[in-house]
């Protein structure tokens, strides 16, 4: 029998239920987590109980840290999942590690999670700010988009996104003509777009996220920039495309860790998800399912829910499900899997609801993430 | 020709864009100033009502099939009526109290409105198309000016100066100003002050909603669009001199321009420049540029 | 023998956007007297008070207090020099007790007013003096009442007690009896007379009864300028004053 | 309704019965009863805080809460909102003057809407108060105390109101102006206006008034008509503490 | 023994027992916010100045304390000191600009200045931008007591809170407090009595800022992080809510208010989207029907029933 602490494996979904990221994570991840648990029970028939609780961290690091502590101390939570936004992820990872519990990060994207700030009880599952530009920038340069100009959200996340992308652009033979930094959050981007236009660059890289990206795209079209120069969204989710509409986004390149309409397996799962949420899943939500399922398998395999043992099993077993093929959890906590380069369809090409992407390329896992050799994580033995 | 290394053409473009943003500041701060003038309340819900205006336009289009032009008239009326309802049911009870309570109440209302829209529409928001009549743009040589933006400038100037004229130059305006100071006595002169207050609040709110409809085609319509903007607008109002109608219009437009210039020369500072200006203005003229010392 | 003037102004002028509210006023207040400033409405009396206490800045002219030029000083500084004013509308601290009202004025001299770490009990040493002051205006029985509850006339009396607490050399009273019933007018006039025993009072007053009763010297202002000056009998006999101010109602 | 008014004597302008008024929790008027005929001038006398101002305010509905009956021109107004009462032709000159600081002198003058066409013209008013003409464009807040008092008075003469409620209008005015004001009031009375005067200055009020009501602690305690003035003088002096 | 003494004793008892009944970290959070709200109340309740920018002091003190501990390796007591001092300096700057205006003007100016601070916090490299400062060590108090231990930390926080609360309580009831009261009641009169009112208001502002800073620095120690949340204008609104809910101008009100609001946020996290709406509703209800706040209403009840024979 599995030796489980406090009689149950308890999962806490700590996510943004109402704020900026509630569409790409939020209630959807809670549902995905529950689906993973149900599927696991149905398929693997575990001999331990599994419980799920959830809370809104309101994108605040202190609320997250407080909630995590409380969950560990009083609710006997074993593992916290999702953790959208980097500040909350970092805060919870630290607490979890101190208490010898596991964090499965699907929502947050900053690379420090598996680099400078890495620890041995965290797995970073779905994407990061390295993997996204890699695919997009390479592909766009290959298509002839050699000259780039960046519109960057003026904070750490935007800066690192810009930096990572610039490197890839130059490495692939492109050129960066300049960049402009906009306040975060912003609402009017026309000035910055005008600067980008004046630069004469072929590609305007949007090193920002959420509403900022959406507004940039919308206004680029309004100012007659988009057909002449093309945009590259460096962090875009299908929920963003959905709310902007194909009219405004058609032709854009973006990188994603998951697309619902990719193959039969993804379609089958996504349809089930759609039935519950009335929306197609984002990569965060799909990735979260995958991470939870893998974790539960590892608990079963390890015969215990003790963090270190489970982590060892998670690293040992490959990830094979609709989300990832032969995915692997590395020493630094990175789950390496393939990413996809997508191009947004023209409205005329879209045949049915949520038919948004052409998948143009599969980016192999080893290319998509920072090579272990370059990792700054102390856990990586060199 | 260059100015500080920036081609004059680009500069012109940026100034024009600054003016467009300034138009939004002007309409919003005008509404705040009018409300503040008569009710002595800082309408913290102004941003939320602006957001509501944008959403109502979207709802009108997508649920009821009402086009932009209908929305431009109907939405301010509807949201204005909602404002009047708020005034009648809640604000009304606060006039005898310290004016700070009005600020607090509208702050609470802003949270409620924003929360409800978040609940219903999610956070990433919806897109509103540019009306066909105003699609496309003019090539001005130095820049491509979308027709829609030109329309925004024109219509907001008309609305702003129209409101100014009514308030400063007509009898109705003198009632408004008198009501600001001593509503009780004004009522004793035979003027229906409660109605006037309700209508004024409704009008201020309608202005916010009007700005919302104007903004819908250019910005993503989302539940936080108002709260991001409102603090800047507060700063505009403080710089202009609170309650000063002309102050809010001129400062709104002026700060739009200054912000536009900052975006060219030092984009990192564009979010703070207004607050820095505010600090300086307050040091030199505590009552604001157009404000009266009280 | 030269007269001892506590306050002298020369050429005191205040212009508001071209409108001259106070015009080259030469005011000389003799120590130890009650000096009245009267004149028709809009003559500039309140403005003179505002200039003397620096609630307004003079356009021209100088103000000398005890021979020192105080023209450039600020309101609070002037108050600390010993010139204290009362207001045309009653000025008390409505939700403090009557005793506390007076104590606030006394407290400044202790020099502990910025001491936020000290207990307010340290102010109790002032209670004795505060009671004395209240007694001087017949308010001792009200010491613990909340000030709002006092009748109007008593509030004026309290205001005077508070002003006295500062031991001003020169008290400026702006229409101290305005809005009072007859009883109170008499009471306050007596009070002013009494407290003026060892200090100087400069007051604006429309109630000629009071003026004739207690004032030693009267300056009549008209359109910002001094029209006449002298004791009541002299001034009230002046034809110009009769025409500009008193009409037929003198006496 | 028509019947009721038929029984009201035609000459009656205002009748107040059992008027109670409250500010928040404090009960200020305890059943005021009095009545004023058309063209009459009555005064409300009393000590400070007796409730004279409150009586005027209660007639206009400017107090926190009121009850009882107030008939103006035979019409019950206790339940009407202030502005509707004002429309019945009432001019109110408040104790604190109520000059609007943000309006110029002239704007202040023109502020109250005319209730009928019998009011004075601007020129007539400026003739009566030359000070105001001189300061016509300066903001209300910049007027001297006395100028404000004149403005407050002048303001309601323009509207053509037939019932004037005047609260301490001689307060803070130079004796010459007080005399001038006395003449103005006499003229108004001549014109047939009905006036209620709240006065501290008995010397001013006595020759003008037809009747005097004395208020004490929110009740009418005495009514003295013009003819009885001499005989009741001692009583009045006692009541008012003159 | 009066009501206030009883209040103190009850407070002390609750403080000693609470961590054994309720989750201690939550109690620490409550204590931090209670101190914050009390500091804010010193300004609103006793000086009549509504600052809508108090988050700036809470947040910046948090960053300063965090930097002192993490970047400079100072001890916790020095960290707190640095945080409060920083907030005091900031308060001096804010105050000098804002106290020249009263009422709503004052509120607006503080709000806008706080917004400036927010943008600076987002920009300065040492704050970690939107990621915040993470993993700040709690250190050893006076080099001896290890604060990593929850109970040690708790009693330290309790001590800090009581100290701060005592300072506020004393300031209200001091010669300085008397002058503040006089200024609030009738400012021109206070001037004419020779008080330089701006300096008194400024001192009150600085005092309030410093104590808000103390709260912020303590919070940083507790959670071992400093983030933008604490400088955001929502936080400025929250502290108003706490004070209003508990009772403006009552000594214990802000503590009660903070307890309610923090618990609501904590236990209401499951409500997700509705927390904002609920907060808004509480605001509206308080303003419309409940202006004295919990403590104010209770005090009134006691007073009323006491008067009856
Ligand atoms: N701040 C100001 N700006 C412009 N004019 C002013 C200002 N203050 C006063 N005045 C004008 O100066 C003149 C003198 O005013 P002041 O208040 O000194 O009169 P006063 O003698 O006190 O009259 P009263 O007896 O009526 O109170 C008035 O005509 C007034 O309108
Ligand atoms: N707004 C108010 N709130 C509470 N009490 C008030 C208010 N206004 C007046 N009072 C009280 O009502 C009572 C009557 O006041 P009122 O103003 O009617 O007196 P008055 O006879 O006109 O005397 P005065 O000579 O002072 O004008 C007084 O005791 C006063 O304190
Ligand atoms: Mg367990
Ligand atoms: Mg009165």
């Amino acid at each position: 029998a599995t030796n489980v602490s406090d009689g149950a494996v308890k999962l806490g979904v700590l996510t943004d239920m109402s704020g900026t990221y509630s569409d790409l994570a939020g209630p959807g991840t809670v549902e995905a987590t529950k689906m993973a648990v149900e599927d696991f029970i149905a398929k693997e028939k575990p001999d331990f109980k599994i419980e799920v609780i959830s809370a809104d961290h309101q994108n605040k690091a202190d609320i997250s840290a407080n909630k995590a502590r409380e969950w560990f101390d009083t609710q006997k939570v074993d593992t916290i999942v999702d953790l959208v936004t980097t500040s909350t992820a970092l805060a919870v990872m630290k607490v979890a590690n101190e208490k010898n519990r596991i964090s499965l990060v699907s929502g947050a994207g900053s690379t420090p999670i598996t680099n400078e700030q890495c620890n041995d009880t965290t797995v970073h599952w779905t994407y990061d700010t390295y993997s996204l530009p890699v695919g997009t920038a390479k592909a766009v340069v290959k298509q002839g988009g050699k000259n780039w100009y960046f519109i960057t959200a003026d904070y750490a996340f935007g800066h690192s996104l810009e930096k990572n992308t610039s490197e890839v652009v130059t490495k692939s033979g492109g050129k960066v003509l300049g960049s402009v930094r906009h306040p975060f959050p912003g609402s009017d981007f026309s000035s910055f777009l005008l600067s980008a236009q004046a630069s004469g660059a072929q590609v305007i890289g949007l090193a920002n996220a959420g509403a900022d990206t959406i507004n940039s795209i919308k206004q680029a079209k309004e100012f007659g920039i988009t057909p002449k120069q093309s945009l590259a969204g460096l962090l875009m989710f299908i929920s963003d495309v959905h709310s902007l509409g194909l009219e405004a986004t058609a032709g854009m390149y973006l990188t994603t860790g998951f697309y619902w309409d990719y193959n039969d397996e993804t379609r089958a799962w996504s349809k089930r998800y759609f039935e519950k949420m009335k929306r197609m899943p984002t990569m965060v939500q799909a990735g979260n399912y995958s991470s939870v399922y893998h974790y539960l398998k590892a608990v079963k395999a390890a015969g215990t829910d003790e963090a270190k043992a489970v982590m060892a099993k998670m690293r040992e077993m490959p990830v094979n499900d609709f989300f990832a093929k032969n995915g692997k959890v590395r020493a630094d906590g990175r789950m390496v899997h393939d990413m996809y380069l997508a191009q947004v369809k023209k409205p005329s090409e879209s045949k049915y609801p949520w038919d948004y992407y052409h998948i143009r390329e599969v980016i192999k896992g080893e290319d998509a993430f920072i090579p272990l050799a370059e990792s700054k994580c102390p856990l990586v033995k060199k | 020709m260059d100015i500080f290394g920036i081609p004059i053409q680009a500069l012109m473009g940026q100034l024009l864009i600054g003016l467009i943003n300034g138009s939004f500041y002007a309409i919003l701060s005008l509404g705040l100033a009018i409300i503040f003038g008569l009710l002595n309340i800082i309408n913290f819900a102004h941003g939320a009502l602006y957001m509501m205006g944008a959403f109502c336009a979207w709802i009108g289009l997508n649920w009821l099939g009402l086009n932009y032009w209908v929305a431009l008239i109907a939405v301010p009326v509807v949201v204005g009526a909602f404002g009047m309802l708020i005034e009648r049911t809640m604000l009304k009870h606060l006039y005898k109290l310290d004016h700070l309570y009005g600020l607090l109440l509208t702050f609470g209302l802003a949270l409620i409105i924003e929360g409800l829209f978040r609940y219903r529409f999610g956070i990433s928001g919806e897109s509103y198309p540019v009306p066909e009549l105003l699609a496309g743009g003019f090539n001005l040589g130095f820049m491509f000016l979308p027709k829609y933006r030109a329309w925004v400038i024109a219509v907001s100037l008309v609305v702003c100066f129209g409101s100014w004229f009514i308030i400063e130059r007509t009898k109705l305006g003198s009632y408004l100003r008198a009501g600001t100071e001593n509503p009780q006595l004004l009522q004793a002169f035979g003027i229906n002050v409660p109605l006037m207050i309700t209508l004024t609040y409704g009008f201020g709110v309608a202005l916010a909603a009007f700005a919302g409809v104007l903004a819908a085609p250019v910005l993503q319509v989302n539940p936080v669009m108002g709260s991001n903007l409102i603090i800047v607008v507060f700063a505009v109002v403080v710089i202009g001199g609170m309650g000063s109608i002309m102050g809010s219009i001129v400062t709104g437009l002026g700060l739009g321009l200054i912000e536009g210039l900052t975006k060219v020369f030092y984009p990192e500072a564009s979010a703070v420049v207004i607050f820095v200006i505010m600090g300086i203005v307050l040091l030199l003229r505590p009552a604001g540029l157009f404000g009266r010392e009280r | 023998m030269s007269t001892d003037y506590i306050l002298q102004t020369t050429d005191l002028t205040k212009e508001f956007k071209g409108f001259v509210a106070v015009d080259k006023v030469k005011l000389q207040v003799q120590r130890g007297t009650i000096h009245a400033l009267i004149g028709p409405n809009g003559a500039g009396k309140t403005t003179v008070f505002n200039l003397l206490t620096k609630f307004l800045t003079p356009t021209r002219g100088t103000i000398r207090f005890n021979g020192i030029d105080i023209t450039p000083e600020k309101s609070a500084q002037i108050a600390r020099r010993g010139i204290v004013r009362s207001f045309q509308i009653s000025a008390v601290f409505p939700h403090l007790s009557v005793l506390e009202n007076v104590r606030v004025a006394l407290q400044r001299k202790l020099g502990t007013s910025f001491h936020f770490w000290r207990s307010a009990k340290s102010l109790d040493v002032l209670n004795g003096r505060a009671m004395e002051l209240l007694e001087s205006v017949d308010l001792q029985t009200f010491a613990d009442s909340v000030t709002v509850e006092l009748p109007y006339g008593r509030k004026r009396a309290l205001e005077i007690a508070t002003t006295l607490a500062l031991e001003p050399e020169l008290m400026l009273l702006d229409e101290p009896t305005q809005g009072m019933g007859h009883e109170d007018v008499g009471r306050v006039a007596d009070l002013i007379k009494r407290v003026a025993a060892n200090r100087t009072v400069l007051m604006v007053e429309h109630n000629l009864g009071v003026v004739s009763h207690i004032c030693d010297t009267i300056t009549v202002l008209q359109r910002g300028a001094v029209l006449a000056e002298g004791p009541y009998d002299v001034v009230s006999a002046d034809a110009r004053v009769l025409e500009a101010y008193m009409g037929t109602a003198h006496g | 309704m028509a019947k009721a008014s038929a029984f009201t004597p035609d000459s009656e302008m205002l009748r107040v019965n059992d008027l109670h008024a409250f500010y928040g929790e404090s009960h200020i008027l305890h059943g005021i009863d009095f009545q004023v005929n058309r063209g009459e001038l009555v005064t409300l006398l009393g000590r400070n805080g007796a409730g004279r101002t409150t009586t005027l305010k209660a007639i206009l509905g400017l107090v926190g809460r009121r009850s009882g009956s107030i008939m103006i021109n035979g019409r019950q107004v206790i339940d009407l909102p202030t502005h509707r009462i004002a429309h019945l032709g009432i001019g109110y000159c408040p104790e604190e003057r109520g000059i609007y600081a943000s309006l110029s002198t002239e704007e202040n003058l023109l502020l109250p809407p005319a209730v009928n066409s019998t009011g004075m013209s601007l020129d007539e008013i400026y003739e009566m108060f030359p000070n105001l003409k001189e300061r016509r464009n300066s903001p209300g807040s910049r007027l001297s105390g006395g100028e404000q008092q004149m403005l407050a008075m002048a303001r309601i003469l323009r509207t053509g109101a037939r019932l004037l409620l005047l609260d301490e209008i001689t307060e803070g005015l130079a004796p010459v102006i007080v005399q001038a004001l006395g003449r103005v009031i006499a003229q108004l009375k001549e014109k047939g206006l009905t006036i209620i005067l709240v006065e501290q200055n008995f010397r001013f009020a006595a020759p003008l008034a037809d009747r005097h009501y004395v208020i004490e602690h929110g009740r009418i305690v005495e009514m003295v008509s013009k003819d009885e003035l001499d005989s009741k003088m001692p009583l009045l002096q006692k009541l008012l503490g003159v | 023994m009066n009501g206030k003494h009883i209040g103190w004793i009850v407070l002390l008892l609750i403080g000693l027992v609470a961590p054994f009944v309720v989750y201690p970290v939550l109690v620490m959070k409550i204590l931090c916010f209670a101190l914050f709200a009390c500091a804010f109340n010193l300004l609103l309740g006793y000086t009549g100045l509504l600052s809508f920018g108090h988050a700036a002091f809470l947040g910046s003190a948090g960053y300063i304390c965090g930097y002192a501990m993490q970047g400079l390796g100072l001890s916790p007591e020095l960290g707190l000191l640095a945080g409060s001092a920083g907030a005091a300096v900031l308060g001096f700057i804010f105050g000098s600009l804002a106290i020249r205006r009263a009422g709503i003007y004052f509120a607006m100016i503080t709000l806008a200045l706080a917004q400036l601070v927010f943008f600076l916090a987002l920009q300065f490299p040492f704050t970690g931008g939107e990621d915040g400062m993470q993993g700040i060590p709690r250190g050893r108090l006076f080099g001896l007591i290890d604060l990593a231990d929850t109970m040690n930390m708790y009693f330290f926080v309790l001590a800090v809170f009581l100290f701060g609360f005592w300072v506020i309580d004393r300031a209200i009831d001091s010669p300085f407090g008397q002058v503040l009261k006089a200024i609030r009641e009738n400012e021109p009169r206070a001037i004419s009595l020779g008080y330089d009112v701006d300096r008194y208001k400024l001192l009150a502002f600085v005092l309030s800022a410093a104590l808000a800073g103390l709260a912020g620095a303590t919070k940083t120690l507790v959670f071992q992080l400093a983030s933008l949340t604490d400088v955001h204008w929502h936080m400025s609104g929250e502290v108003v809510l706490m004070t209003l809910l508990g009772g403006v101008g009552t000594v214990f009100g802000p503590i009660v208010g903070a307890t309610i609001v923090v618990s609501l946020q904590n236990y209401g996290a499951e409500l997700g989207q509705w927390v904002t709406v609920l907060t808004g509703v509480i605001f509206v209800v308080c303003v419309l029907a409940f202006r004295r706040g919990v403590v104010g209403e209770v005090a009134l009840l006691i007073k009323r029933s006491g008067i009856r024979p």
Side-chain angles (χ1 to χ4, degrees), chain B residues 25-26 28-34 36 41-44 103 229-252 255 273-293, chain E residues 50 52 94 97-115:
Chain B
Y25 293 157
L28 287 171
S29 58
L30 173 65
L32 275 178
I34 292 175
F36 178 74
I41 279 177
I42 281 285
N43 189 28
F44 222 111
L103 173 78
L229 191 59
I230 193 67
I231 308 278
V232 177
V233 176
F234 281 156
V236 171
V237 175
V238 170
I239 296 171
M242 290 217 267
S244 160
I245 306 294
M246 197 41 140
S248 61
I249 298 174
V250 173
T251 319
L255 287 179
V273 66
I274 291 188
F275 298 103
V276 172
I277 292 178
M278 190 196 72
I280 297 170
V281 167
L282 289 176
L283 270 178
L284 303 178
R285 278 190 66 105
L289 292 177
F290 292 75
R292 263 189 290 261
E293 281 283 358
Chain E
L50 171 65
F52 225 95
F94 270 44
L97 280 171
I99 44 165
R100 298 198 283 166
R101 318 281 357 247
I104 291 175
Y105 299 83
F106 180 87
M108 287 293 93
I109 294 166
T110 45
L111 171 62
L113 288 173
Q115 202 60 11

Side-chain angles (χ1 to χ4, degrees), chain A residues 15 20-30 32 82 84 106-107 126-127 235-243 255-260 266 269-270 273-274 277 279-290 322-323 354 356-357, chain B residues 124:
Chain A
T15 184
T20 320
Y21 306 105
S22 52
D23 279 356
L24 64 94
T29 20
V30 178
D82 187 13
V84 70
S106 269
T126 309
Y127 74 100
L235 177 58
M236 273 188 73
F237 296 90
I238 199 165
S239 49
D240 297 330
V241 174
H242 180 69
S243 72
T255 302
T256 182
F258 174 79
Y259 177 49
W260 72 273
T266 58
W269 184 80
S270 302
Y273 176 91
F274 186 87
M277 298 305 293
R279 296 173 75 92
M280 282 300 173
T282 61
M283 64 166 144
V284 170
Q285 289 148 349
N288 193 66
Y289 175 97
S290 170
F322 73 90
F323 177 83
W354 294 86
Y356 291 157
Y357 294 167
Chain B
S124 47

